[in-house]
Amino acid sequence: LAKTTQPISMDSYEGQEVNITCSHNNIATNDYITWYQQFPSQGPRFIIQGYKTKVTNEVASLFIPADRKSSTLSLPRVSLSDTAVYYCLVGPGGDDKIIFGKGTRLHILP
Amino acid sequence: GAVVSQHPSRVICKSGTSVKIECRSLDFQATTMFWYRQFPKKSLMLMATSNEGSKATYEQGVEKDKFLINHASLTLSTLTVTSAHPEDSSFYICSAKPGQGFAGGYTFGSGTRLTVV
């Protein structure tokens, strides 16, 4: 399983765009990149998944460069309710187990 | 979307007793489920992989006799914490991977807060 590195914490303000970058230098050819969000005392929630280039959904965008050694989760116009821990995971999918890294604790300020 | 229901959401038990936590996939079948525990301000730690109809696979350092896992059907996995002690107090979370027809990655339960007194 590819190891991931993210910033431990980030602060931003309401209305700003927030970009969280994840490094995964040893990503394998068949690995996907998935981001989860976790609020206190809740299970993680799927945000977005991608393999290469750019993926966008109603919540976020995911940018993946050509070498796929990193990825950036972009949250547009954040609000206080986006304060959470964000996890970047890399793996082949299927029913394989997923191992969580430390995640990024995002704190949105008014 | 795919839903995993976890019950109870919180439980308090006396030291030495056993506690059972249920994890159900409500709208899909899950041959594989995963159990995690999480301490305050820490990341999720994978405890075991629950396999329908067969024995669970435990991660290194997790006591299989203490954390009993049963996956008797395609929609239900249970985790029983046996002879619980205060150090077993934690947040336990299960997850499963929906199959085709569901977009996205793994689906997680809402977690169970276990407090052993």
Side-chain angles (χ1 to χ4, degrees):
Chain A
L1 296 169
K3 184 173 183 284
T4 59
T5 303
Q6 306 172 230
I8 294 296
S9 65
M10 292 179 66
D11 288 341
S12 188
Y13 291 92
E14 279 192 294
Q16 299 291 307
E17 177 185 78
V18 171
N19 296 309
I20 306 174
T21 297
C22 178
S23 297
H24 28 79
N25 291 318
N26 58 340
I27 188 170
T29 304
N30 59 343
D31 282 345
Y32 284 78
I33 300 154
T34 312
W35 286 79
Y36 292 86
Q37 174 192 55
Q38 186 183 27
F39 296 113
S41 297
Q42 293 185 29
R45 182 177 74 102
F46 170 86
I47 301 175
I48 197 165
Q49 184 179 68
Y51 183 81
K52 61 180 180 181
T53 62
K54 177 184 175 182
V55 179
T56 297
N57 61 22
E58 64 278 6
V59 177
S61 294
L62 178 60
F63 299 92
I64 306 168
D67 66 4
R68 303 202 326 123
K69 293 184 184 300
S70 67
S71 59
T72 299
L73 174 72
S74 181
L75 305 172
R77 295 180 299 281
V78 294
S79 64
L80 296 176
S81 62
D82 292 314
T83 293
V85 179
Y86 292 82
Y87 294 97
C88 161
L89 287 90
V90 173
D95 284 338
D96 290 355
K97 62 184 180 183
I98 54 174
I99 306 296
F100 283 78
K102 291 183 168 60
T104 297
R105 192 169 295 274
L106 176 64
H107 187 202
I108 304 301
L109 303 166
Chain B
V3 177
V4 169
S5 174
Q6 195 171 334
H7 179 80
S9 58
R10 56 180 63 237
V11 57
I12 301 173
C13 71
K14 290 185 177 180
S15 188
T17 62
S18 296
V19 173
K20 180 184 285 188
I21 302 169
E22 292 187 348
C23 179
R24 294 181 184 273
S25 56
L26 296 186
D27 46 4
F28 65 98
Q29 294 182 333
T31 56
T32 304
M33 290 186 176
F34 304 93
W35 287 95
Y36 296 83
R37 69 186 298 183
Q38 185 175 32
F39 292 107
K41 305 286 188 186
K42 299 294 185 183
S43 182
L44 286 78
M45 183 189 77
L46 180 65
M47 299 175 66
T49 301
S50 171
N51 304 297
E52 187 269 335
S54 65
K55 291 183 178 181
T57 304
Y58 291 82
E59 294 299 302
Q60 191 173 8
V62 177
E63 299 177 61
K64 62 180 180 181
D65 293 330
K66 180 167 189 60
F67 299 100
L68 300 179
I69 291 173
N70 185 287
H71 195 152
S73 78
L74 287 171
T75 59
L76 174 64
S77 175
T78 60
L79 168 68
T80 301
V81 183
T82 63
S83 187
H85 291 287
E87 57 265 30
D88 298 324
S89 298
S90 189
F91 191 55
Y92 293 86
I93 308 168
C94 67
S95 78
K97 179 77 183 302
Q100 289 185 344
F102 291 97
Y106 290 77
T107 299
F108 290 80
S110 54
T112 297
R113 175 77 57 194
L114 170 63
T115 302
V116 184
V117 298

